[in-house]
Amino acid sequence: MGRLVSLLLFLCAATGGSSFDVTTSPPTLRVKENEGVDMSCSYTADFGADVRMEWRFVNSKGSTHYVLFDKKITEPYANRVNIFSSTNLRFSKVTRQDNGEYFCDVSSSSSPTKNSKVALTVLVPPSVPKCGIPQTVTTNTYVTLTCHDPDSSPPPTYNWYKGTTLLPADPSKNVAFKNATYKLDSKTGMLVFPSVTKMDTGEYYCEVSNDAGPSQSCKSVKMEVRDINTGGIVAGVIFGLLLLGVLIGGLWYANKKGYLPLKSESSKQQSAAYQPPSMYAGGGGEEDNGEFKQKSSFVV
């Protein structure tokens, strides 16, 4: 039994004695915009004396920036971030651009880079969203209504209203909307009608909400669904044909009455050109047919 215990202790020491652990705290943070926050990082002693520690920020788009590099706060953070206890970060205030993950990277000659992260969410209340609502659409066409709030953090939930009625995200699960054909994405704010009908006519507006502050909504806009104006299209075609007929008739009549220049006359006018007098012609205008004729003599 004693040998078994000794073997277990040896295995634990062999596998866990040099773990090279990195720990950050707290693992997640939720802070209101313009308030301060601390992030701490610690690591085990087995990294050795030549340990290197850095803080790295990765935003929601995947872009990476260093906050602490070579034991110094980098320029973008210099006026609002300090380092304390040699490994911890202190933000005097955070902004919505600070949303993302902060990695504490630790390495040494004894170990490759190990890290741990803190996920920071900066709380920003919703702002009035930008809505795209068409005022007039044609029946049986594909119609999209858009809603977007670029500032809210965490990302907001989007709700659409028709009049005072909240449109359910999944109309198939609501008896009152069993005949509805729209599709609503509460994460992107898009309200889509694959084949809009006259029943979809009404006033629409979008509301955004998150847990950082009160909800906001855009102004309602009436969307009217109309049938294709077949009569107007036919009338326009007929009017165009009549106008073309009048134009052709007018040209025929003008040509018949001789108001338009004949093609032969036009060609003659174009062929007539100014003929300069010959450089050898005399003052009397006699033609010399290109032959040199002495008109006067002189004696040297």
Side-chain angles (χ1 to χ4, degrees):
M1 185 68 180
R3 291 182 178 179
L4 180 60
V5 171
S6 299
L7 179 60
L8 291 174
L9 290 174
F10 173 78
L11 291 174
C12 290
T15 58
S18 298
S19 57
F20 297 99
D21 287 334
V22 179
T23 305
T24 51
S25 65
T28 59
L29 284 167
R30 292 169 60 86
V31 185
K32 291 182 179 181
E33 189 171 33
N34 296 320
E35 290 189 355
V37 67
D38 291 348
M39 301 179 188
S40 65
C41 178
S42 60
Y43 49 87
T44 54
D46 45 19
F47 278 96
D50 62 339
V51 65
R52 181 183 180 90
M53 196 273 298
E54 294 159 342
W55 276 97
R56 174 171 49 92
F57 169 59
V58 180
N59 64 20
S60 58
K61 296 181 180 179
S63 298
T64 300
H65 309 279
Y66 280 100
V67 182
L68 177 69
F69 186 82
D70 197 19
K71 299 181 181 181
K72 297 179 182 178
I73 300 297
T74 58
E75 183 61 30
Y77 299 91
N79 63 341
R80 57 191 182 92
V81 178
N82 293 313
I83 189 79
F84 70 97
S85 298
S86 72
T87 62
N88 305 324
L89 294 181
R90 173 165 291 161
F91 287 76
S92 60
K93 66 176 183 179
V94 293
T95 69
R96 63 196 68 185
Q97 285 75 30
D98 296 324
N99 266 312
E101 296 178 330
Y102 293 79
F103 291 83
C104 178
D105 298 329
V106 182
S107 62
S108 71
S109 60
S110 304
S111 170
T113 301
K114 299 292 185 71
N115 59 50
S116 182
K117 69 178 180 179
V118 176
L120 173 63
T121 299
V122 180
L123 302 178
V124 181
S127 57
V128 176
K130 298 178 181 179
C131 297
I133 306 171
Q135 295 182 340
T136 305
V137 296
T138 305
T139 53
N140 301 321
T141 58
Y142 189 94
V143 178
T144 302
L145 280 64
T146 59
C147 181
H148 183 57
D149 174 15
D151 299 320
S152 296
S153 178
T157 299
Y158 294 90
N159 291 310
W160 278 95
Y161 288 81
K162 181 182 180 182
T164 58
T165 303
L166 173 65
L167 300 180
D170 189 353
S172 64
K173 296 181 180 180
N174 192 309
V175 177
F177 292 86
K178 62 180 180 179
N179 294 323
T181 60
Y182 68 82
K183 296 179 180 180
L184 194 159
D185 191 329
S186 59
K187 293 183 178 180
T188 64
M190 294 183 65
L191 176 61
V192 176
F193 296 89
S195 182
V196 71
T197 67
K198 284 191 172 182
M199 292 180 60
D200 298 318
T201 294
E203 291 196 357
Y204 292 84
Y205 72 92
C206 171
E207 179 185 69
V208 293
S209 59
N210 67 9
D211 57 2
S215 301
Q216 298 285 351
S217 59
C218 61
K219 293 181 62 177
S220 63
V221 175
K222 183 177 181 180
M223 183 180 75
E224 185 175 356
V225 183
R226 298 178 180 177
D227 290 326
I228 297 176
N229 188 2
T230 307
I233 295 175
V234 172
V237 171
I238 293 174
F239 177 77
L241 292 175
L242 288 174
L243 186 62
L244 181 61
V246 170
L247 180 61
I248 293 174
L251 291 173
W252 175 82
Y253 181 79
N255 184 62
K256 183 178 179 181
K257 292 296 185 180
Y259 299 143
L260 297 178
L262 297 177
K263 184 177 180 180
S264 58
E265 293 179 356
S266 177
S267 299
K268 290 179 180 180
Q269 291 176 359
Q270 292 178 1
S271 63
Y274 170 72
Q275 299 292 336
S278 172
M279 62 180 294
Y280 302 111
E286 295 179 359
E287 297 291 333
D288 54 14
N289 296 322
E291 297 180 0
F292 176 78
K293 295 181 180 181
Q294 185 175 343
K295 298 296 183 178
S296 58
S297 61
F298 58 92
V299 177
V300 177

